[in-house]
Structures are given as structure tokens and as C-alpha cells.
Amino acid sequence: MPALSLSVLARKGVCTALLGAALLSAAPAQARDGRNGALIGGAAAGVIGGLAVGALLNGAAPPPPPPPARRVYVEEEPIYVAPPRRGPICHYERRKVWLDEVEFTYRRVEVCE
């Protein structure tokens, strides 16, 4: 059982004292007191009882704090970077190739830059 703090014990003591005072002051009114005595006694008992119940209800421990929010780490998508080219860029072209002074033909020739 956890130990009670001083403030909790003080609250419980005050509530007990108020409850005891309410029970003692609520003694039945006698005929010799008249109507006013019964009204004052009943009003006093109601006020003291109301204070005691209010103190009991307000003395409850506060609810525990909500759990801390979970942190979510979002990993970014990787970005593709093409590696740099290390050699010349080559392509094929059709070029006219002379066979002799009159005749020629077309051939595919690789051209590198």
C-alpha cells in the first residue's frame, strides 16, 4: 500500500471533523426550541453536510496525464542519380562512301564525340 502524503492526510482529517460536526449538530429539535430552532438546526446541518461532501468529492486525486505521443520517423524515398559517363558518347550515322571516282555507296559509320 503506498504511503499517504501529508496533504492527503490533512484533507481526510478535515473531512472527518466536518462530518462529525454535522452528525452532532443534527440532533433532533425539541418542542421547547420552537419552530426557529428546528429550522436553524436543519439549515446548519445541510450547510455542514454539503461542505463535507464537497470536500470529499474535490479531494479526489486528479486523473493521470495522457501518455506521451509516439514519435513517428518518416524515411524519405531514395533519389536515383545516374552515374556520370566516363567515356565518349558514340552513335551510328549513314555516310556516303566513295568506291571510286564515279561510284559510291552508303554505309553505317560509328561516330564518337
Side-chain angles (χ1 to χ4, degrees), residues 39-88:
L39 287 175
I40 293 173
V47 168
I48 292 175
L51 287 174
V53 171
L56 286 174
L57 292 178
N58 287 331
R70 291 187 346 178
R71 292 187 178 184
V72 178
Y73 295 101
V74 178
E75 192 172 315
E76 295 182 11
E77 293 184 19
I79 300 172
Y80 176 74
V81 177
R85 294 187 152 228
R86 294 195 177 186

